[in-house]
Amino acid sequence: MAKKILITGITGQVGSQLADYVLQHTDFDVVGMMRWQEPMDNLYHLTSRINRKDRISLYYADLNDGAALSRMLRDLRPDYISHLAAQSYPKTSFNIPIETLQTNIIGTASLLEAIRQMREVDGYNPVVHVCSSSEVYGKAKPGVPLSEETAFHGASPYSISKIGTDYLGRFYGEAYGIRTFVTRMGTHSGPRRSDVFFESTVAKQIALIEAGLQDPVIKVGNLSSTRTFQDARDAVRAYFLLLEASEKGNIPCGECFNIAGEEVFKLPEVIDLLLSLSTRDDIKVATDEDRLRPIDADYQMFDNTKIRAAIDWKPEISARQMFTDLLNHWRDEIGKGKIPLNR
């Protein structure tokens, strides 16, 4: 019987790309947890397989419904769980802090507690990937690469919620022996990246300008940040390799890992690169006050030593290719008549 992986948050960029990776590189069955009203845009290329139940299916549940999570685990009993579902937008979290904390902290606790209770009853013991975020480091000290031992400094309700998520993943591994591990992914992008994130909104605006749907001015927020970038398709490969290593017992319960790109950009350099890929040469850049956060995580440089010692992994997709694919993604979406909000 094929092994089964449950991906919470499968409709997101990373969840959908993890599903793609598993379907392409393994014989595992994939089950994606989603809320019934979520958009399916990132899964349309898989709907024929989903309809045929060809190694992939969907399960409707919500992190804020503990009973639904328990029922899902009893029904599915997955061998692996990659917990990616979250309220994942830092800027939005300033407007909905309570929902962000409820979904990301209490929702994660509900999932892990349901696993713990099943383990006590019948020994159920899946490998559980808990997705934290590099945002846990928040207002980090410039000039010092961030390692797994760097102190946390929440810079948004989102980052504070992910600090809670991070601690929960480690606690349930260390206290109860659940085979958890925690990942803190640095800035990641590529096709399907939501337009609420910096480089994606820039690419989206360039595509809108090229299509004659926006004046030739890109609106941006704070550009003082320096960070590494990586393609999410590289990151999901790391996720899967960590799942395999944990199953083999090569990773202690509750271990945490940074996963980050190794190409460094100041945000104006990202704009310049994307503009160099445009068919237009008259595009200007302007600051939009509505895009500024009350506080920013403006230094995101990482030390990948720990993860590269644990698994045979390194980023393979260049940043230029990632940004090219991102811009082409928005050109394709707009070319299909899907006109996105200017946000």
Side-chain angles (χ1 to χ4, degrees):
M1 177 182 262
K3 291 184 176 180
K4 185 184 301 178
I5 181 170
L6 169 67
I7 302 172
T8 74
I10 195 170
T11 59
Q13 177 202 17
V14 178
S16 63
Q17 288 177 341
L18 178 58
D20 289 344
Y21 182 90
V22 173
L23 291 171
Q24 181 178 351
H25 295 281
T26 79
D27 63 355
F28 293 4
D29 290 331
V30 175
V31 181
M33 188 193 97
M34 62 176 287
R35 295 169 295 178
W36 70 268
Q37 76 275 32
E38 284 185 49
M40 289 283 293
D41 300 58
N42 291 333
L43 294 179
Y44 279 134
H45 65 293
L46 293 174
T47 50
S48 292
R49 296 189 67 167
I50 294 169
N51 289 338
R52 299 195 311 270
K53 294 183 170 55
D54 176 15
R55 292 182 51 216
I56 181 168
S57 60
L58 299 175
Y59 195 105
Y60 297 111
D62 192 309
L63 285 180
N64 291 315
D65 186 339
L69 296 177
S70 294
R71 181 170 58 251
M72 175 181 68
L73 292 173
R74 290 195 303 270
D75 288 347
L76 299 176
R77 297 185 69 86
D79 302 280
Y80 306 92
I81 299 171
S82 188
H83 174 42
L84 308 179
Q87 192 304 94
S88 59
Y89 305 148
K91 185 175 185 300
T92 302
S93 74
F94 289 100
N95 297 324
I96 52 168
I98 306 306
E99 179 183 343
T100 300
L101 297 170
Q102 174 73 35
T103 299
N104 296 357
I105 298 178
I106 303 303
T108 298
S110 296
L111 179 66
L112 292 170
E113 183 63 14
I115 295 168
R116 183 187 72 83
Q117 292 178 9
M118 285 180 62
R119 188 167 186 259
E120 288 187 351
V121 170
D122 62 12
Y124 176 58
N125 190 27
V127 175
V128 184
H129 163 213
V130 176
C131 184
S132 178
S133 169
S134 63
E135 290 273 338
V136 298
Y137 301 117
K139 292 289 289 183
K141 183 178 179 181
V144 179
L146 304 173
S147 76
E148 289 79 0
E149 304 306 315
T150 300
F152 293 164
H153 185 160
S156 67
Y158 170 75
S159 68
I160 293 166
S161 77
K162 282 299 187 178
I163 290 170
T165 299
D166 198 294
Y167 279 131
L168 283 166
R170 287 186 282 168
F171 168 74
Y172 272 83
E174 294 170 355
Y176 302 118
I178 295 173
R179 293 186 293 173
T180 62
F181 65 88
V182 176
T183 60
R184 303 169 187 160
M185 195 195 322
T187 303
H188 54 283
S189 197
R192 308 179 202 166
R193 178 69 156 164
S194 171
D195 64 345
V196 300
F197 296 105
F198 165 76
E199 76 291 342
S200 192
T201 195
V202 171
K204 175 193 70 177
Q205 290 181 74
I206 290 173
L208 285 168
I209 292 167
E210 290 176 345
L213 297 170
Q214 179 175 321
D215 291 338
V217 178
I218 295 171
K219 297 178 181 180
V220 298
N222 174 33
L223 295 181
S224 65
S225 179
T226 299
R227 57 188 58 213
T228 61
F229 278 84
Q230 69 179 322
D231 196 293
R233 292 165 290 188
D234 275 332
V236 300
R237 178 166 48 86
Y239 285 175
F240 186 79
L241 293 174
L242 287 169
L243 285 165
E244 287 189 317
S246 183
E247 182 185 42
K248 294 173 183 176
N250 296 338
I251 296 175
C253 297
E255 200 67 70
C256 60
F257 297 93
N258 289 339
I259 305 176
E262 296 175 349
E263 293 186 73
V264 181
F265 293 86
K266 296 178 180 178
L267 295 191
E269 294 173 332
V270 173
I271 296 175
D272 289 343
L273 194 159
L274 284 165
L275 287 175
S276 75
L277 301 171
S278 177
T279 60
R280 297 277 295 261
D281 60 6
D282 61 340
I283 299 175
K284 309 299 182 183
V285 179
T287 299
D288 178 358
E289 296 292 326
D290 290 338
R291 296 171 188 263
L292 299 175
R293 303 183 196 175
I295 184 173
D296 256 316
D298 49 17
Y299 181 79
Q300 293 265 291
M301 301 279 290
F302 296 92
D303 181 349
N304 273 340
T305 301
K306 185 174 180 181
I307 189 170
R308 293 184 69 167
I311 58 174
D312 183 14
W313 175 88
K314 65 178 180 179
E316 294 179 350
I317 301 171
S318 72
R320 184 176 184 86
Q321 185 63 57
M322 174 190 71
F323 289 129
T324 300
D325 292 347
L326 174 62
L327 179 55
N328 286 334
H329 164 78
W330 282 115
R331 286 167 171 160
D332 290 344
E333 291 294 290
I334 293 166
K336 296 172 187 174
K338 296 180 180 179
I339 310 305
L341 292 173
N342 195 341
R343 57 178 181 172

